[in-house]
Amino acid sequence: MVSQGSSPSLLEALSSDFLACKICLEQLRVPKTLPCLHTYCQDCLAQLAKGGHLRCPECRESVPVPPAGVAAFKTNFFVNGLLDLVKARAGGDLRAGKPACALCPLMGGASTGGPATARCLDCADDLCQACADGHRCTRQTHSHRVVDLVGYRAGWYDEEARERQAAQCPQHPGEALRFLCQPCSQLLCRECRLDPHLDHPCLPLAEAVRARKPGLEELLAGVDNNLAELEATRMAEKEALARLREQATRVGMQVEEAAERVLRALLAQKQEVLGQLRGHVEAAEEAARERLGQLEGREQVAREAVAFARRVLSLGREAEILSLEGAIAQRLRQLQDCPWTPGPAPCLLPQLELHPGLLDKNCHLLRLSFEEQQPQKDSGKDGAGSQGGDETQPKGRDGAETPKQDRAQTPQEDGFQTPKVERTETPREDGAQTPKESRAQTPQEDRGAQTPKGGRSNKKRKFKGGLKSVSREPSPAPGPNLEGSGLLPRPIFFSSFPTRMPGDKRAPRITGLCPFGSREILVADEQNRALKRFSLNGDYKGSVPVPEGCSPCSVAALQGAVAFSAGARLYLISPEGEVQWRRALSLSQASHAVAAMPSGDRVAVSVSGHVEVYNMEGSLATRFIPGGKASRGLRALVFLSTSPQGNFVGSDWQQNSLVVCDGLGQVIGEYRGPGLHGCQPGSVSVDKKGYIFLTLREVNKVVILDPKGSLLGDFLTAYHGLEKPRVTTMVDGRYLVVSLSNGTIHVFRVRPPDS
């Protein structure tokens, strides 16, 4: 017998799905092989055959169906042999769960044989021990290979069984295929050899294999060479694609940086021009106030003299009138001869001049050029060249070299100059100079805004500056006020309303805001111990009752519930005021910020440098420290918000920064730059696109940052009516609600840049 494990079985060398049909996903039945060498069940192929053709389910190659049907496709004897081997290993007559001898019923007439313990590889029969011993003692079967049945079932003799087991003729059952008809290239048994292939030259199978195997091996070697070339080409294609992606990433970053530089320069020029404009208006207003004071004083003197004269003429007696007639006449002549105006005052109206390139649709500050990748023989050199910095400058369409893509031209480099502000004098009908009630609009301004009509100016001259500048310092570049830029979200005023109600005993002190239903907000008035409901238009909708003695600080609305912090406790109440649960928080923090998760079924609260998240049942769902345990005790999140993407945004008063982290506490971005103006970061809100709105109370600003915490510029300033803003919230992802220290609420619609 062959020793156990001397060689791996044939089935172990094949994949487990080799004998499964890829169409019905079951074991192959009557396997037929297509010209593309894919094998399927005959019945499955018959279902795919349409119009004399069928398409291979695996390689999608179209195959013509023979006139005799799919049965005429070549029978896969290799698969048939494997299937026979599988059936022989698994099958046989069973008695009490054991295979039975195939010879005992033939000799003794019994209906079933004894338990089989061996197998003849040549006869493909299971044998009991007695029949196995006798099988070796006859002239015809003494050379047969009889092996242990357990080892055979385990696959130890698969290779030997396949060598001894001949393929059976499909037309003559019981006959083995022994010959190959050379003209017909068909396998024959002895019966097939007699008719109709009697006159055809035939070869035994072994001799035919020896004659034809070298040709197949030569073809295999050729295909192996093709496969090697295909593999090399595929790897080269992958490398080219990787280089393309790497270069695209690099160019994309260069485009972002170049656009940021251009934007920063443009916004800096905008801030400069706006500063000049504000300075001019302030100087003009100061001069106008001085002239108005003079005019009002003269008017008052004239009116008093006229009133006195009229009173004397109407109420005085003749002697009294005549006695005062000289003094009155002298005063009236004096007033009549006095000039009524302090002289013509110049009114210089500003006008904006735009660089022609800004209005030219064909002006491109950024432009891509493409160059063909040169195949490089040494992949190592190629990798070093792609990263090492030996950058070639691509050619433009005209053949000239274009600038390197990692350096974009700013507007000043492209001939763009600071727009000049002009002052225009417009004469009034009475000859006095009045300011013209119009201004030039930039192309980025709101389309809904219209320029008021005014008369043509008779005099125009360039304004070179010289007026005093505004003292308020803008945010660092690119941080000027974004209204009207059209390049980032900008505010559009929506409404403004007070929050003090008739029943309030004290002035409101708003410490928390959150959206509450459709186009409504919930206001936490800590001073009056109330949660007030307002529409975005300012309509009072009532209040949510709070437990007695609670002064709500921060508030968040969940699904059918309201969460708020008060003192060192976190509460969850129903809209009717019923307390569902309360949790004690750390006493080391004066106030605790709460925020609703985007799913609406959990609430996050900042506690002593970390964030805790509770579910609707009051169980602690997760807890993390922004930045990990290494930063524990180094953070104090006084304000907290969540983004639609599931990130957390907080104002860290310990680090004096704004921090953005994911749900696991991994810090995505952090800003602590000069855009904070040295102030502690205040309330934070996030819109539906992830833009972050940060309140800076000391400088009366709300600045905007991108989703990763990079400063983009000012969003709201004192020019929008901000006076000591306290807390903010975002409603429906597009309405920014800002509360002021005096209890007033301003609502601004956030207009997206692509609107």
Side-chain angles (χ1 to χ4, degrees):
M1 287 189 179
V2 178
S3 61
Q4 180 178 354
S6 60
S7 62
S9 68
L10 179 66
L11 291 184
E12 290 175 355
L14 300 174
S15 61
S16 59
D17 59 347
F18 182 77
L19 300 179
C21 175
K22 300 301 186 299
I23 300 176
C24 63
L25 303 180
E26 296 180 1
Q27 195 176 75
L28 286 163
R29 297 183 297 273
V30 191
K32 294 291 180 178
T33 301
L34 300 180
C36 58
L37 300 184
H38 291 129
T39 303
Y40 306 97
C41 300
Q42 179 176 317
D43 293 340
C44 295
L45 290 177
Q47 298 176 7
L48 297 180
K50 293 181 181 179
H53 286 78
L54 62 84
R55 188 176 296 276
C56 176
E58 294 183 70
C59 65
R60 310 306 296 168
E61 181 177 339
S62 180
V63 178
V65 179
V70 296
F73 282 123
K74 280 191 173 294
T75 300
N76 195 326
F77 290 105
F78 174 64
V79 172
N80 273 339
L82 295 179
L83 291 174
D84 292 341
L85 185 61
V86 170
K87 294 175 183 177
R89 287 173 54 184
D93 294 333
L94 299 178
R95 184 182 66 180
K98 296 182 179 180
C101 178
L103 296 183
C104 289
L106 301 178
M107 294 184 297
S111 57
T112 59
T117 59
R119 180 170 179 91
C120 177
L121 300 184
D122 296 88
C123 301
D125 288 331
D126 293 338
L127 307 174
C128 63
Q129 189 60 44
C131 293
D133 294 340
H135 201 69
R136 301 185 183 95
C137 299
T138 64
R139 185 182 298 273
Q140 293 181 345
T141 61
H142 76 279
S143 61
H144 286 196
R145 178 81 162 116
V146 179
V147 298
D148 177 61
L149 184 60
V150 175
Y152 173 78
R153 294 280 174 107
W156 301 347
Y157 309 101
D158 287 346
E159 293 284 354
E160 190 176 357
R162 279 184 50 76
E163 291 176 1
R164 292 176 173 270
Q165 193 170 349
Q168 300 297 312
C169 178
Q171 298 178 358
H172 303 94
E175 289 290 336
L177 296 172
R178 302 177 183 273
F179 306 100
L180 173 69
C181 178
Q182 290 181 300
C184 303
S185 293
Q186 183 176 346
L187 296 175
L188 307 176
C189 65
R190 285 181 295 187
E191 297 293 333
C192 297
R193 177 76 177 80
L194 298 176
D195 183 48
H197 302 275
L198 182 61
D199 298 331
H200 293 180
C202 298
L203 292 176
L205 294 184
E207 186 177 347
V209 168
R210 285 194 300 271
R212 297 201 174 194
K213 191 172 182 179
L216 291 176
E217 290 178 344
E218 183 178 356
L219 292 175
L220 276 175
V223 175
D224 286 339
N225 293 334
N226 292 342
L227 286 175
E229 294 179 1
L230 287 174
E231 178 71 14
T233 305
R234 183 171 62 85
M235 295 303 297
E237 191 70 25
K238 285 186 175 182
E239 292 176 0
L241 182 59
R243 288 196 300 270
L244 173 62
R245 290 172 176 169
E246 181 182 355
Q247 181 67 12
T249 302
R250 185 183 300 111
V251 173
M253 294 177 61
Q254 294 169 357
V255 170
E256 293 287 347
E257 295 172 357
E260 184 178 352
R261 288 197 296 268
V262 173
L263 176 62
R264 186 183 300 116
L266 182 61
L267 293 180
Q269 293 182 26
K270 172 196 165 185
Q271 187 71 3
E272 179 183 355
V273 172
L274 289 178
Q276 294 175 353
L277 180 62
R278 287 192 293 267
H280 168 65
V281 171
E282 286 185 356
E285 288 179 350
E286 184 177 352
R289 284 194 296 269
E290 184 177 351
R291 292 194 300 273
L292 286 174
Q294 296 177 5
L295 292 174
E296 290 173 357
R298 294 179 182 181
E299 181 183 3
Q300 181 67 20
V301 171
R303 288 186 182 279
E304 290 176 356
V306 169
F308 178 78
R310 291 187 186 280
R311 189 176 294 110
V312 170
L313 291 177
S314 61
L315 301 177
R317 295 175 294 183
E318 292 83 352
E320 295 172 348
I321 293 174
L322 292 175
S323 66
L324 295 174
E325 182 266 341
I328 293 176
Q330 181 182 359
R331 182 56 174 168
L332 293 179
R333 290 191 196 96
Q334 184 182 7
L335 293 176
Q336 193 174 18
D337 295 337
C338 180
W340 288 99
T341 60
C347 181
L348 305 178
L349 296 182
Q351 298 291 337
L352 179 65
E353 288 184 357
L354 293 176
H355 189 277
L358 288 180
L359 304 178
D360 186 4
K361 296 181 179 179
N362 297 322
C363 178
H364 300 285
L365 297 180
L366 303 176
R367 180 180 298 170
L368 278 180
S369 63
F370 300 92
E371 60 180 0
E372 184 177 355
Q373 290 191 26
Q374 299 296 331
Q376 304 197 15
K377 298 180 181 179
D378 190 350
S379 60
K381 294 181 180 179
D382 176 66
S386 63
Q387 299 176 4
D390 185 13
E391 300 179 2
T392 59
Q393 297 192 8
K395 306 290 185 180
R397 295 181 180 178
D398 55 356
E401 286 188 351
T402 59
K404 289 186 180 181
Q405 293 178 346
D406 61 349
R407 178 184 178 271
Q409 287 182 328
T410 60
Q412 292 90 340
E413 296 171 340
D414 196 29
F416 185 88
Q417 299 178 356
T418 303
K420 296 180 180 180
V421 180
E422 300 180 355
R423 299 189 298 182
T424 306
E425 295 177 355
T426 303
R428 214 171 46 181
E429 293 181 359
D430 56 1
Q433 303 290 338
T434 60
K436 182 180 178 182
E437 296 180 351
S438 65
R439 66 180 178 89
Q441 281 186 317
T442 63
Q444 296 85 359
E445 288 183 337
D446 190 359
R447 296 179 181 177
Q450 299 180 357
T451 304
K453 297 180 180 179
R456 293 179 178 270
S457 61
N458 294 336
K459 185 178 181 182
K460 180 186 292 186
R461 65 186 178 89
K462 301 293 183 182
F463 172 65
K464 299 299 182 181
L467 298 176
K468 62 179 182 180
S469 61
V470 181
S471 59
R472 182 169 299 279
E473 180 183 356
S475 295
N481 188 289
L482 297 176
E483 184 178 7
S485 69
L487 301 171
L488 290 172
R490 64 188 188 90
I492 297 178
F493 179 77
F494 184 78
S495 66
S496 179
F497 54 89
T499 58
R500 184 163 189 171
M501 294 292 104
D504 292 346
K505 298 180 180 179
R506 301 179 180 179
R509 184 171 183 265
I510 301 176
T511 55
L513 288 173
C514 72
F516 191 71
S518 177
R519 294 171 66 90
E520 280 192 21
I521 58 173
L522 195 61
V523 179
D525 185 354
E526 188 179 44
Q527 198 78 336
N528 293 289
R529 298 183 176 181
L531 293 175
K532 304 175 182 177
R533 294 173 50 192
F534 291 91
S535 70
L536 292 183
N537 293 319
D539 299 328
Y540 181 62
K541 299 291 186 178
S543 64
V544 175
V546 298
E548 186 176 357
C550 285
S551 297
C553 178
S554 183
V555 63
L558 306 181
Q559 295 176 354
V562 176
F564 68 90
S565 61
R569 289 183 179 272
L570 176 65
Y571 292 84
L572 185 74
I573 62 175
S574 67
E576 293 75 26
E578 181 181 355
V579 178
Q580 299 182 4
W581 51 261
R582 62 172 61 90
R583 295 291 180 267
L585 304 176
S586 173
L587 295 174
S588 61
Q589 193 167 326
S591 61
H592 301 272
V594 300
M597 300 297 293
S599 58
D601 58 353
R602 290 179 296 167
V603 59
V605 56
S606 63
V607 182
S608 298
H610 60 266
V611 176
E612 296 179 352
V613 180
Y614 293 88
N615 57 22
M616 297 291 288
E617 290 75 28
S619 300
L620 182 62
T622 183
R623 177 181 180 183
F624 65 87
I625 300 172
K629 295 183 179 180
S631 62
R632 183 173 184 177
L634 300 179
R635 295 193 182 275
L637 302 182
V638 178
F639 294 95
L640 185 67
S641 183
T642 58
S643 69
Q645 295 76 23
N647 296 329
F648 293 88
V649 184
S651 295
D652 185 358
W653 281 20
Q654 185 71 25
Q655 301 292 333
N656 201 39
S657 65
L658 178 131
V659 60
V660 183
C661 61
D662 58 17
L664 300 177
Q666 183 70 31
V667 174
I668 299 174
E670 187 169 6
Y671 181 78
R672 55 165 62 92
L676 299 181
H677 300 280
C679 307
Q680 286 183 324
S683 178
V684 287
S685 297
V686 186
D687 70 358
K688 58 184 178 182
K689 292 191 175 182
Y691 285 106
I692 303 169
F693 299 85
L694 173 65
T695 303
L696 302 177
R697 183 167 179 255
E698 290 84 349
V699 293
N700 297 328
K701 281 186 179 183
V702 173
V703 297
I704 183 172
L705 302 95
D706 67 10
K708 292 186 178 180
S710 298
L711 181 68
L712 300 178
D714 296 343
F715 185 74
L716 296 174
T717 64
Y719 297 103
H720 299 89
L722 260 64
E723 185 176 359
K724 295 183 179 180
R726 292 188 61 88
V727 291
T728 64
T729 190
M730 188 67 64
V731 180
D732 296 337
R734 58 193 183 100
Y735 290 97
L736 182 66
V737 182
V738 185
S739 68
L740 307 183
S741 296
N742 60 3
T744 303
I745 283 182
H746 292 334
V747 181
F748 298 89
R749 183 164 64 88
V750 180
R751 181 169 183 173
D754 54 355
S755 175

